[in-house]
């Protein structure tokens, strides 16, 4: 399935464009550089880009000016409005609204217009707005009220060279990143998930996102010292050959290049939102509420039209695609297929997503958490000098404005994955050789001999990390893999094999050599030994049966992984945190993957006694289909 990606290009530019699958190469995104050294200092304050200007009053009459950017979530705004101006009979018209939609890819100019009163709204990502929060908060009239989440982003990528296998491998590496671009927040999320900081990496800043020689993808191609680079889908495909592919060096790809992480898995990193001026919101809250309701209704109808298009065709859906192409132009949206792809890469959240964002207590992807993350990033990276917060809307989602108008209003906890499909896939990957290629992040806890219980008092920090990773990487699965020490199995193997006469030993204590049926065999060759044990090669020598010993270790490792899973769920509940049980899959590994294959003492044996957490990409078929992601 083709993937399409269109991202807002922010900051320090007067004219910006977006990129489609077929049209991206013809477009150049220019971001004016502020003279920062390559790989150098923090970003300069956003206020310096906006410049000085007076706070004006939003006109009380006429149409409201609402900015849009080139992103699939804005297609719902077009649909609700019937075009750039509100058409009679459209969803927004029936709500008593009169809107004039204007291009807003130049976010700096958006902020200037917002401050001057030309528009009461901002349209961007929550991290974007966070970077501008100091400017918004300088006057009580322009403080930002976040009124609506539109989408989660589902298509950005961090591409790494062959030596980089997981996010933890980024430590000490050099990453190419566009200045002030959409991947700054994504990198911040990726680093925090791996327990790394910006000080652990070197950033090489580029001026552009795509289409020129000064982009992360181009630097990755030209400079071997660039270990990883952020890329939009067309550039990612050019480097790797595809989301699940590895570059071969042919057809322009980079040999060994692969996607380290994508918002296909890191699905709760980039949230697109509408923000309203505080003075305008206070004076017009009923109509602003109707704007929110109208947008959410547009999302519902678009989803139904898309389903209709997939089954029998929909003239209304094709009209939306045509409207999108007309608004953005054929340079940006060359075909209606590109317009459909634009929508596909934007994950709509709808009414359930907004209820979850603004009202769900202890939601790790809720407003409080995302807002803090955005402000932390803005302050730490030097975009803001003073911490100025945003307001949540406080809308009453139980009011008739929503519940008597919308139809897709089911909220609450949903299981995202098909448990049986996930279990089969994870167990298949664990038994084969494919798990490493699917692993985004991994870490472990150790346990003592004969330990069967795992308390949050002992492992609370790791449990919290699991819960946070499961939330941020909403489309990945956490495999909880129990491992066992092989010492007992090896002892039984030697005794049984020698008693049976198939295993011979020579040498002295601590320096033994072994042969099986006359051929040398290494007791550190775990894969070879486990296969021999499974075939019954050592059965029948004594009452000790290494096959039974190995199976017992596997059963115990599975029981331990299940105990850890249950303990994590209990921990999450005790903290009031959401935990999707279908997203965590316990797996018994047994003795198959020891750290030390032939331990010489208990200290070495204990290194094998571990429960491993792996954040794993799974096939799309493992996920349940839902209308909205929340």
């Amino acid at each position: 399935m083709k993937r399409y990606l269109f991202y807002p290009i922010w900051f320090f530019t007067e004219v910006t464009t977006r990129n489609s699958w077929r049209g991206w190469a013809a477009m150049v995104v220019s971001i004016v550089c502020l003279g920062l050294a390559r790989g150098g200092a923090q970003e300069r304050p956003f206020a310096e880009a906006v410049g000085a200007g007076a706070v004006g009053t939003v006109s009380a009459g006429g149409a409201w000016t609402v900015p849009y950017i080139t992103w699939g979530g804005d297609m719902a705004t077009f649909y609700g409005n019937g075009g750039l101006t509100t058409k009679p009979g459209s969803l927004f018209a029936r709500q008593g609204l009169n809107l004039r939609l204007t291009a807003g890819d130049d976010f700096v100019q958006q902020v200037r217009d917002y401050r001057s009163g030309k528009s009461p709204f901002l349209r961007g990502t929550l991290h974007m707005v966070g970077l501008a929060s100091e400017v918004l908060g300088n006057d009580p009239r322009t403080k930002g009220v976040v009124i609506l989440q539109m989408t989660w982003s589902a298509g950005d990528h961090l591409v790494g060279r062959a030596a980089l296998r997981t996010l933890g491998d980024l430590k000490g590496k050099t990453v190419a990143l566009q200045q002030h671009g959409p991947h700054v927040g994504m990198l911040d999320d990726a680093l925090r998930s791996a327990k790394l900081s910006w000080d652990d990496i070197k950033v090489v800043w580029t001026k552009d996102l795509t289409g020129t020689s000064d982009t992360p993808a181009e630097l990755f191609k030209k400079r071997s010292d660039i270990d990883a680079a952020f890329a939009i889908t067309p550039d990612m495909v050019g480097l790797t050959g595809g989301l699940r592919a590895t570059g071969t060096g042919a057809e322009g790809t980079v040999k060994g290049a692969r996607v380290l992480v994508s918002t296909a898995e890191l699905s709760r990193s980039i949230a697109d939102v509408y923000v309203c001026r505080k003075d305008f919101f206070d004076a017009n809250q009923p109509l602003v509420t109707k704007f929110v309701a109208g947008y959410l209704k547009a999302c519902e109808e678009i989803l139904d039209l898309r389903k209709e298009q997939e089954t029998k065709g929909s003239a209304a859906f094709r009209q939306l695609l045509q409207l999108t192409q007309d608004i953005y132009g054929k340079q940006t949206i060359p075909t209606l297929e590109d317009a459909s792809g634009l929508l596909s890469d934007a994950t709509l959240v709808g009414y359930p997503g907004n209820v979850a964002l603004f009202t769900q207590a202890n939601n790790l992807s809720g407003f409080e958490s995302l807002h803090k993350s955005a402000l932390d990033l803005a302050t730490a990276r030097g975009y803001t000098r003073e911490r100025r917060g945003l307001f949540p809307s406080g809308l009453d989602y139980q009011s008739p404005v929503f519940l008597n108008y919308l139809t897709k209003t089911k909220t609450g906890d949903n299981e995202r994955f098909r448990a049986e499909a996930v279990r089969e896939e994870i167990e298949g990957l664990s038994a084969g050789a494919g798990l490493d290629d699917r692993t985004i992040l991994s870490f472990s806890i150790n346990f003592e001999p004969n330990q069967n219980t795992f308390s949050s008092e002992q492992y609370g920090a790791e449990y919290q990390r699991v819960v946070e990773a499961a939330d941020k990487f909403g489309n990945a699965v956490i495999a909880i893999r129990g491992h066992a020490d092989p010492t007992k199995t090896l002892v039984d193997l030697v005794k049984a094999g020698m008693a049976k006469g198939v295993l011979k030993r020579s040498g002295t204590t601590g320096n033994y050599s072994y042969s099986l049926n006359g051929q040398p065999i290494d007791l550190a060759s775990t894969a070879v030994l486990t296969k021999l044990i499974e075939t019954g090669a050592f059965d029948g020598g004594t009452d000790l049966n290494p096959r039974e010993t190995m199976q017992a270790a596997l059963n115990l490792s599975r029981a331990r992984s299940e105990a850890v899973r249950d303990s994590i769920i209990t921990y999450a509940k005790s903290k009031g945190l959401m935990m999707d049980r279908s997203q965590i899959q316990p797996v018994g590994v047994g003795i198959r993957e020891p750290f030390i294959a032939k331990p010489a003492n208990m200290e070495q044996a204990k290194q094998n006694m571990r429960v491993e957490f792996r954040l794993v990409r799974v096939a799309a078929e493992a996920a349940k289909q839902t209308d909205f992601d929340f």
Side-chain angles (χ1 to χ4, degrees):
M1 175 180 173
K2 290 183 179 179
R3 293 189 67 83
Y4 299 76
L5 183 64
F6 303 73
Y7 267 111
I9 310 304
W10 334 322
F11 301 102
F12 310 103
T13 178
E14 295 303 323
V15 179
T16 59
T17 58
R18 288 296 192 94
N19 308 280
S20 72
W21 185 270
R22 293 182 176 85
W24 70 276
M27 290 176 281
V28 176
V29 181
S30 283
I31 307 295
V32 178
C33 191
L34 294 182
L36 295 175
R38 289 285 187 255
Q42 295 174 326
E43 311 293 5
R44 290 180 63 185
F46 184 85
E48 294 184 12
V50 177
V55 174
T57 302
V58 180
S59 175
W64 295 355
T65 298
V66 180
Y68 65 87
I69 61 178
T70 314
W71 178 241
D74 296 82
M75 292 171 68
T77 311
F78 302 158
Y79 179 87
N81 209 42
L84 293 180
T85 59
T86 306
K87 298 297 188 292
S90 66
L91 292 177
F92 287 148
R94 295 200 298 269
Q95 292 280 29
L97 300 171
N98 181 17
L99 310 180
R100 181 176 66 253
L101 308 183
T102 60
D105 278 326
D106 180 355
F107 189 65
V108 169
Q109 189 59 46
Q110 267 202 61
V111 174
R112 293 174 185 144
D113 292 344
Y114 175 96
R115 182 176 61 186
S116 69
K118 290 182 180 179
S119 173
F121 298 104
L122 285 177
R123 167 68 186 90
T125 71
L126 194 55
H127 274 105
M128 278 169 72
V129 181
L131 300 183
S133 58
E134 184 179 23
V135 177
L136 309 185
N138 280 335
D139 189 289
R141 292 170 290 178
T142 57
K143 285 181 178 291
V145 180
V146 182
I147 60 171
L148 170 68
Q149 182 185 359
M150 305 163 72
T151 64
W152 292 111
S153 175
D156 295 277
H157 318 280
L158 176 58
V159 175
R161 298 195 186 276
L164 301 185
R165 306 307 298 172
T166 71
L167 289 179
D169 296 332
L170 285 172
K171 186 172 184 177
K173 300 301 190 294
T174 300
V175 181
L177 179 69
Q178 183 208 15
Q179 287 177 352
H180 320 109
H183 300 135
V184 175
M186 182 181 172
L187 175 57
D188 191 60
D189 283 336
L191 290 173
R192 285 189 289 109
S193 296
K195 297 300 181 186
L196 299 175
S197 74
W198 288 73
D199 292 335
D200 289 316
I201 63 170
K202 176 184 177 182
V203 175
V204 174
W205 297 103
T206 71
K207 184 177 69 173
D208 302 323
L209 180 66
T210 188
T212 76
S213 61
D214 193 10
T215 66
E218 287 301 312
L219 289 190
F220 188 80
K221 286 181 179 180
K222 296 174 183 176
R223 292 176 48 177
S224 61
D225 64 317
I226 302 294
D227 300 297
F230 281 89
I232 62 174
T233 293
D235 292 331
M236 175 275 291
V237 172
L239 295 174
T240 68
L243 187 62
R244 299 289 181 260
T246 299
T248 63
E251 299 182 351
T253 64
V254 176
K255 187 174 179 60
R258 60 188 291 272
V259 174
L260 268 179
V261 68
S262 166
T263 49
E265 304 94 28
L266 184 55
S267 57
R268 298 192 184 103
S269 180
I270 303 177
D272 277 75
V273 297
Y274 277 112
V275 171
C276 183
R277 278 177 50 142
K278 184 68 164 61
D279 58 352
F280 188 87
F281 180 81
D282 290 342
N284 299 275
Q285 184 170 341
L287 281 177
V288 172
T289 304
K290 289 185 175 182
F291 170 73
V292 172
Y295 179 88
L296 298 178
K297 186 67 172 179
C299 292
E300 291 185 347
E301 294 191 4
I302 286 174
L303 286 179
D304 289 339
L305 291 176
R306 182 162 63 182
K307 291 177 184 177
E308 183 180 319
Q309 172 68 17
E310 292 169 352
T311 55
K312 60 182 180 180
S314 169
F317 187 73
R318 291 192 295 274
Q319 288 172 5
L320 171 62
L321 301 183
Q322 185 63 63
L323 176 61
T324 301
Q325 186 186 52
D326 292 344
I327 289 174
Y328 290 132
K330 288 189 177 181
Q331 184 183 24
T332 303
I333 309 291
T335 69
L336 298 190
E337 184 183 0
D338 292 306
S340 181
L342 179 68
L343 180 62
S344 295
D345 269 354
T347 306
L348 301 171
V349 304
Y351 173 87
N354 279 271
V355 171
L357 179 77
F358 290 113
T359 70
Q360 204 164 51
N362 297 319
N363 181 0
L364 293 177
S365 290
F367 177 82
E368 182 179 347
S369 178
L370 295 179
H371 178 226
K372 180 181 182 300
S373 174
L375 295 183
D376 286 348
L377 175 62
T379 304
R381 301 307 304 162
Y383 291 104
T384 62
R385 289 164 293 200
E386 294 184 22
R387 195 178 182 92
R388 301 283 177 83
L390 307 167
F391 294 108
S393 66
L395 298 181
D396 180 6
Y397 290 101
Q398 301 304 308
S399 73
V401 174
F402 295 109
L403 294 184
N404 291 352
Y405 181 52
L406 304 174
T407 59
K408 301 179 189 297
T409 57
K410 181 181 178 181
T411 60
D413 297 337
N414 285 322
E415 288 196 347
R416 179 179 295 272
F417 297 95
R418 304 179 190 280
E420 186 66 27
V422 168
R423 180 166 56 254
E424 290 179 359
E425 184 167 5
I426 295 297
E427 289 181 347
L429 290 169
S430 293
L435 188 63
D436 287 345
D437 287 339
R438 297 279 198 93
T439 298
I440 302 167
L441 185 68
S442 66
F443 57 98
S444 300
I445 58 175
N446 289 92
F447 53 84
E448 294 295 319
N450 303 315
Q451 179 179 338
N452 296 314
T453 60
F454 299 82
S455 69
S456 59
E457 288 80 8
Q458 185 176 3
Y459 300 111
E462 290 82 4
Y463 289 179
Q464 181 69 23
R465 188 178 181 186
V466 170
V467 174
E468 291 176 357
D471 177 83
K472 188 63 68 176
F473 293 81
N475 288 334
V477 167
I478 295 181
I480 302 178
R481 309 177 75 237
H483 295 263
D485 176 64
T487 300
K488 180 66 165 62
T489 303
L490 292 176
V491 170
D492 289 355
L493 179 153
V494 169
K495 290 180 178 179
M498 292 179 65
K500 190 175 180 179
V502 297
L503 190 70
K504 302 296 183 182
R505 183 171 67 188
S506 60
T508 58
T509 302
N511 193 32
Y512 286 128
S513 296
Y514 294 88
S515 61
L516 179 68
N517 296 322
Q519 298 297 318
I521 188 170
D522 185 357
L523 295 191
S525 299
T526 303
V528 173
L529 293 179
T530 54
K531 287 182 179 179
L532 288 170
I533 292 171
E534 288 169 351
T535 63
F538 306 100
D539 289 0
T542 67
D543 291 339
L544 295 172
N545 189 324
R547 185 147 50 116
E548 293 178 357
T549 307
M550 187 171 72
Q551 183 62 48
L554 177 62
N555 294 342
L556 183 57
S557 70
R558 186 189 304 275
R560 283 178 172 139
S561 67
E562 291 173 350
V564 171
R565 185 267 317 273
D566 294 343
S567 186
I568 290 172
I569 292 173
T570 299
Y571 169 83
K573 288 181 179 178
S574 73
K575 299 293 184 179
L577 301 173
M578 294 179 293
M579 188 74 218
D580 181 356
R581 188 183 184 93
S582 74
Q583 196 182 3
I584 50 177
Q585 180 60 50
V587 178
V589 181
I591 70 167
R592 291 200 310 265
E593 300 173 19
F595 274 149
I596 299 178
K598 193 171 68 170
N601 50 55
M602 179 56 72
E603 183 178 349
Q604 291 184 353
K606 283 185 176 181
Q607 293 184 52
N608 295 322
M609 301 175 191
R610 70 195 192 279
V611 174
E612 174 192 19
F613 304 99
R614 287 212 190 199
L615 190 64
V616 180
R617 303 178 183 93
V618 293
E621 292 75 16
K624 295 181 180 179
Q625 298 300 312
T626 59
D627 286 326
F628 298 115
D629 181 15
F630 61 95

